[in-house]
Amino acid sequence: MSNSNSSDVIVVGAGVVGAACAYYAARGGLSVTVVDRGPVAGGTTGAGEGNLLVSDKEPGPELELALLSTWLWRELAQELPARIEYEAKGGLVVASDASAMAALRKFAAAQAGAGVTAEEIPADRLHDVEPHLAPGLGGGFRYPQDAQVQPALAAAHLLRASGARVRTGEEVTAVLTGTNGRVRGVRTAAGELHAPFVVNAAGTWGGEVARLAGAHLPVLPRRGFVLVTEPLPRVVRHKVYAADYVSDVASGSAALQTSAVVEGTPAGPVLIGASRERVGFDRTLSVEVLRRLAAQATALFPVLAGVRAMRTYAGFRPYLPDHLPAVGPDPRVPGLLHACGHEGAGIGLAPATGLAVARQLTGGEPPLDLGPFHPGRFAPAA
């Protein structure tokens, strides 16, 4: 690998989205430098559960991106080491009563027309699927396309497989442009890095990176907590969540929202989420959030009531007002591409995002219609 400070493309952000951009750009024949002010997966990626979901998305552009990513993650699982802990274990969405079940049935029927596979599980069969679920639930739907990955390891191995030059601990302080306004690289405390293309994959800091280039992207952080239990036998077989999780994901409210998402891991601990609130970058531990998460998880799985929570962690999801990521070229800064704003779905959507960005960098055919994700939709009025 060259020691030069020049490459074909600079990716700002060493999380899973940036890693996927680097991986597919390198596969397209480009030389890549990845720069991040922190470590690999030091931001949103490292605080994620590793959700690879289609079950929580209604028909539309995000679901199309998710379905493509689902296929790409299966392909990547064959190419990357088993240590990324890819599990095609499926998801189970459960309803509290008959009314909620009817809503799930309608939602699944709409998804089926978009290519999602879902199997209705009547109330009297739920315990065949998840033996430790609470009694009295109204039924559910099993989604075999849902999967899980260990996000930090996935990002690290994508970067390693890309062959990109990775520069961590270097904050980008400027996006360099020429007299014609076209991108020519970035500046960090360590000096200048040169490339004709810069990809903004900076997650919750994507708005700031855009601003450094003279662009506009209204990314806001949305805080979430995850509880991690002591290692257990496999008491939770699928990724299991209550039906209200879907509406929470779609909500734009800044207020606190919690809905139970419970899953086992190959290493043994059970992960419990999910919460959402817009409080800036405040990392203060919220006892109220943890109390709610624990109560909702044990309501779904009473067996967890006697289990110790070993730790908790907080992360910030990169939120955009219309809940769709920004993927593609900036309309005002030639050579700048954005790949951020995925909110809580970035791990699941990373491969399709990376492939789409790489195709744009190399002049290839986009893998799907990128119009709904165009960053220009946020450009301020002239």
Side-chain angles (χ1 to χ4, degrees):
M1 189 176 296
S2 169
N3 289 323
S4 166
N5 284 340
S6 296
S7 55
D8 294 321
V9 58
I10 296 167
V11 177
V12 182
V16 70
V17 173
C21 291
Y23 176 84
Y24 287 107
R27 283 186 58 173
L30 302 179
S31 60
V32 184
T33 297
V34 178
V35 59
D36 196 298
R37 66 181 191 169
V40 171
T44 300
T45 294
E49 293 178 74
N51 294 339
L52 314 180
L53 301 183
V54 298
S55 57
D56 63 340
K57 296 170 181 63
E58 64 183 14
E62 187 182 24
L63 179 57
E64 292 175 16
L65 199 67
L67 285 166
L68 174 58
S69 272
T70 295
W71 183 82
L72 292 171
W73 269 120
R74 287 197 296 266
E75 186 178 76
L76 288 169
Q78 302 302 312
E79 300 174 11
L80 301 177
R83 289 190 296 278
I84 71 169
E85 297 182 10
Y86 174 82
E87 280 193 286
K89 62 185 180 183
L92 179 67
V93 187
V94 296
S96 56
D97 54 29
S99 175
M101 188 63 182
L104 278 184
R105 192 176 294 117
K106 182 178 179 181
F107 188 73
Q111 290 177 308
V116 174
T117 301
E119 175 194 2
E120 182 168 348
I121 308 296
D124 60 1
R125 283 191 50 222
L126 276 178
H127 284 88
D128 297 335
V129 179
E130 285 287 349
H132 296 286
L133 270 173
L137 293 167
F141 274 82
R142 178 162 52 186
Y143 287 83
Q145 290 157 299
D146 283 357
Q148 184 183 3
V149 75
Q150 210 293 343
L153 291 173
H157 285 290
L158 275 170
L159 283 174
R160 179 174 292 178
S162 76
R165 184 187 301 112
V166 180
R167 302 174 67 120
T168 53
E170 292 189 31
E171 182 174 359
V172 171
T173 57
V175 175
L176 306 175
T177 57
T179 55
N180 59 357
R182 183 174 181 85
V183 161
R184 62 181 184 87
V186 301
R187 181 182 296 118
T188 76
E192 293 188 355
L193 304 172
H194 299 126
F197 295 101
V198 169
V199 176
N200 172 17
T204 50
W205 296 98
E208 175 62 17
V209 172
R211 188 191 65 78
L212 291 175
H216 174 71
L217 206 59
V219 180
L220 294 173
R222 205 176 184 192
R223 186 177 71 182
F225 287 93
V226 176
L227 275 171
V228 185
T229 76
E230 61 186 310
L232 301 170
R234 202 58 182 262
V235 296
V236 183
R237 298 177 180 179
H238 299 77
K239 182 182 295 289
V240 182
Y241 62 85
D244 56 356
Y245 173 75
V246 176
S247 59
D248 281 0
V249 168
S251 170
S253 172
L256 172 63
Q257 298 167 308
T258 61
S259 47
V261 180
V262 185
E263 62 188 308
T265 64
V270 171
L271 305 181
I272 299 169
S275 67
R276 283 173 164 75
E277 55 185 330
R278 293 212 308 271
V279 292
F281 286 100
D282 182 2
R283 287 189 174 273
T284 305
L285 183 69
S286 171
V287 175
E288 170 62 15
V289 172
L290 301 184
R291 184 193 65 77
R292 285 199 202 182
L293 291 178
Q296 291 171 340
T298 54
L300 270 184
F301 288 94
V303 67
L304 296 177
V307 171
R308 290 180 298 171
M310 302 301 290
R311 65 186 181 95
T312 185
Y313 56 88
F316 298 99
R317 304 176 183 92
Y319 167 87
L320 281 169
D322 62 1
H323 299 283
L324 292 178
V327 180
D330 189 275
R332 298 190 176 188
V333 186
L336 175 67
L337 291 86
H338 299 289
C340 58
H342 297 76
E343 202 170 335
I347 295 159
L349 302 179
T353 299
L355 179 61
V357 166
R359 293 274 179 87
Q360 291 172 318
L361 289 168
T362 58
E365 185 71 21
L368 76 169
D369 178 15
L370 295 175
F373 309 107
H374 195 277
R377 69 192 194 272
F378 297 114

